[in-house]
Amino acid sequence: MSDEMTPIVEPSADEQLAKELVERARSEGVQLVGPGGLLSDLTKTVLETALEVEMEDHLGYPKHAPQGRDKGNSRNGTRSKTVLTEVGEVGIDVPRDREGSFEPQIVKKRQRRLSGVDELVISLAAKGLTTGEIAAHFADVYGAEVSRDTISRITDRVLEEMVAWQSRPLDEVYPVVFIDAIQVKIRDGQVANRPVYTVVGVTVDGMRDVIGLWVGDGGEGAKYWHQVLSEIRNRGVNDVLFLVCDGLRGLVESIADVWPLAIVQTCVLHLVRNTFRYASKAHWYELARDLRTVYTAATEQAARERFDEFANKWGERYPAIIRLWENAWAEFVPFLAYNPEIRKVIYSTNAIESVHARLRRSVRARGHFPTEQAAMKCLYLAVRSLDPTGRGQQRWSTRWKPALNAFAVTFEGRIDNNVN
């Protein structure tokens, strides 16, 4: 038998308190949260104790101390108020002074919610809950009434933060920038689908950076894209190696003006999906198999030869498909000139799809938005909560290392000085 003994780990004060609360709740048959819950009582005690400490600091002596009798300012009882906390509504007694000069900071005058409640509301909104669903959540879980109007005002507080986020400084170089859109219903006289363009950059450290969101009207051209890209450049982006998109009209010309060295790559997956729009479902599998020989070819010349074979086979039945690929050819072939590590990451806009999945979930819960600003607020809240733990960014960085090494070799001098 080993002489070594397993050390006994004493529970922390927080763990001990948690266990005591759970045991008390079980023995007394009461809830932890909600009206009359143990956490509500504990919150009340903590807040009132903190307010008493603030009053002591304000007056300069503790409660019941003799130096406070019949001289200067002194205590003048308490006033009752109800505040909404993370554990529900809590009634507290706020101490008063005779001169009325006491300005509490823990729970300020006229404050009806603790700051944690606002963060909770914003977090729930970011996860796609509507104002009605958030109000119902507070009623069901905490027994507290929070109006939809109050919830809307709380989430409106992120608008200033959103403006700052949309204009924040960016990195000097992005190896790859992805642009894609989701459709959002916005009521402007009448409800209509409006594209919201998401621009995502991958940094030289392999981190995903949501550069910004831009609302369009569906008829965007070179002028619109020149304005968007110039805005990004003015925020500090001096160079982009690849810009991956889905054949957005006017974008190619605008990129040439803003970042002359950038290479525009159409999303191959989008191109394949668009192919299926013109074909019978019965032929999808065979079309996909034949097109795979085109976009996996070793060189552009080989891809051209495979496409000519594809055109000979399918051109008579589906001329629109041949025309689709011919029109996109100039933006389709650039990635064929690079090694597999680079091809893999610029082959599609999949890097942006996980972002859009979260955005669509938030949008779907609301149906449509009364204004463009309301839509942008909803989408920003979703972006804000994409990776709360940071583990997603770490996975991104790991996956992108092979491609970043290939970029550093292929584009020597353009990103080397920006790698941390």
Side-chain angles (χ1 to χ4, degrees):
M1 183 174 180
S2 174
D3 293 334
E4 293 185 4
M5 299 181 62
T6 303
I8 299 175
V9 180
E10 295 291 337
S12 66
D14 290 342
E15 291 173 337
Q16 188 62 39
L17 175 60
K19 289 180 180 178
E20 290 175 3
L21 285 172
V22 172
E23 289 301 324
R24 182 179 165 191
R26 286 175 178 172
S27 62
E28 297 180 8
V30 297
Q31 298 293 323
L32 281 175
V33 298
L38 289 184
L39 288 181
S40 297
D41 293 342
L42 179 62
T43 302
K44 172 183 172 68
T45 301
V46 170
L47 291 177
E48 289 181 348
T49 301
L51 289 168
E52 280 295 338
V53 171
E54 287 193 70
M55 178 60 83
E56 290 179 8
D57 291 341
H58 176 66
L59 295 177
Y61 60 87
K63 194 174 184 178
H64 306 306
Q67 60 262 43
R69 298 172 186 167
D70 302 322
K71 63 169 73 170
N73 195 12
S74 62
R75 284 174 170 76
N76 187 28
T78 62
R79 59 183 177 85
S80 299
K81 69 184 292 185
T82 300
V83 292
L84 182 60
T85 74
E86 295 94 322
V87 296
E89 292 181 333
V90 175
I92 60 174
D93 294 323
V94 182
R96 299 186 300 183
D97 61 336
R98 294 192 180 280
E99 293 181 356
S101 57
F102 177 50
E103 295 286 344
Q105 297 302 307
I106 296 296
V107 182
K108 297 181 180 180
K109 290 182 178 178
R110 294 176 291 278
Q111 182 181 354
R112 295 296 177 182
R113 300 186 308 273
L114 297 189
S115 59
V117 173
D118 289 6
E119 285 302 315
L120 178 58
V121 168
I122 290 172
S123 175
L124 292 172
K127 288 175 172 56
L129 272 68
T130 64
T131 54
E133 289 169 336
I134 295 173
H137 175 82
F138 273 90
D140 293 343
V141 177
Y142 305 111
E145 291 187 9
V146 185
S147 70
R148 294 186 179 189
D149 185 56
T150 297
I151 293 168
S152 184
R153 288 200 304 271
I154 291 173
T155 56
D156 278 345
R157 293 185 178 182
V158 304
L159 291 175
E160 186 176 341
E161 177 187 316
M162 180 180 73
V163 172
W165 172 78
Q166 188 77 0
S167 59
R168 73 194 187 283
L170 300 170
D171 291 357
E172 289 188 20
V173 177
Y174 286 90
V176 187
V177 168
F178 300 92
I179 300 180
D180 203 2
I182 62 170
Q183 296 295 324
V184 178
K185 295 183 184 298
I186 298 175
R187 187 173 65 241
D188 185 9
Q190 61 181 3
V191 177
N193 278 328
R194 299 272 299 278
V196 177
Y197 297 98
T198 309
V199 181
V200 172
V202 179
T203 72
V204 295
D205 299 314
M207 299 296 184
R208 179 173 61 184
D209 185 8
V210 181
I211 291 172
L213 302 167
W214 284 266
V215 180
D217 58 16
E220 290 73 37
K223 183 178 179 181
Y224 174 88
W225 287 114
H226 196 280
Q227 179 181 344
V228 170
L229 299 181
S230 295
E231 181 180 328
I232 295 173
R233 182 184 61 188
N234 292 339
R235 289 163 60 190
V237 182
N238 295 324
D239 194 11
V240 170
L241 304 186
F242 283 91
L243 191 143
V244 183
C245 61
D246 180 27
L248 299 171
R249 184 170 58 88
L251 183 57
V252 176
E253 299 88 337
S254 301
I255 292 172
D257 288 340
V258 177
W259 297 302
L261 298 178
I263 299 168
V264 180
Q265 174 65 49
T266 195
C267 172
V268 178
L269 278 186
H270 277 88
L271 197 54
V272 173
R273 289 172 190 164
N274 290 338
T275 297
F276 296 151
R277 292 168 49 198
Y278 298 103
S280 168
K281 195 170 185 178
H283 295 136
W284 283 8
Y285 175 79
E286 192 174 357
L287 283 166
R289 184 189 61 191
D290 292 347
L291 284 172
R292 182 174 176 79
T293 65
V294 178
Y295 61 76
T296 60
T299 64
E300 180 180 348
Q301 181 179 351
R304 185 77 243 188
E305 292 171 357
R306 300 291 82 74
F307 181 73
D308 288 341
E309 294 170 2
F310 176 88
N312 289 334
K313 179 178 179 180
W314 296 102
E316 185 175 349
R317 184 186 294 270
Y318 296 124
I321 292 178
I322 307 306
R323 184 169 60 250
L324 172 71
W325 279 76
E326 291 284 5
N327 292 339
W329 193 260
E331 285 75 48
F332 157 69
V333 295
F335 84 120
L336 296 173
Y338 299 95
N339 59 26
E341 288 79 9
I342 293 179
R343 284 192 184 197
K344 184 177 180 180
V345 297
I346 65 174
Y347 161 77
S348 73
T349 55
N350 277 354
I352 214 170
E353 287 301 323
S354 59
V355 176
H356 277 178
R358 292 288 294 275
L359 300 188
R360 288 191 182 96
R361 187 168 65 188
S362 293
V363 167
R364 196 178 299 119
R366 289 162 174 80
H368 71 272
F369 297 89
T371 63
E372 182 179 308
Q373 185 184 65
M376 287 293 285
K377 179 178 75 171
C378 170
L379 294 171
Y380 170 67
L381 284 171
V383 170
R384 189 177 186 259
S385 64
L386 280 175
D387 187 22
T389 65
R391 289 194 293 267
Q393 285 285 32
Q394 189 57 49
R395 289 194 298 270
W396 254 82
S397 180
T398 301
R399 287 198 303 266
W400 272 77
K401 289 304 180 184
L404 292 172
N405 277 275
F407 281 124
V409 172
T410 306
F411 298 92
E412 186 177 2
R414 288 177 67 182
I415 68 172
D416 293 1
N417 295 333
N418 294 277
V419 178
N420 293 327

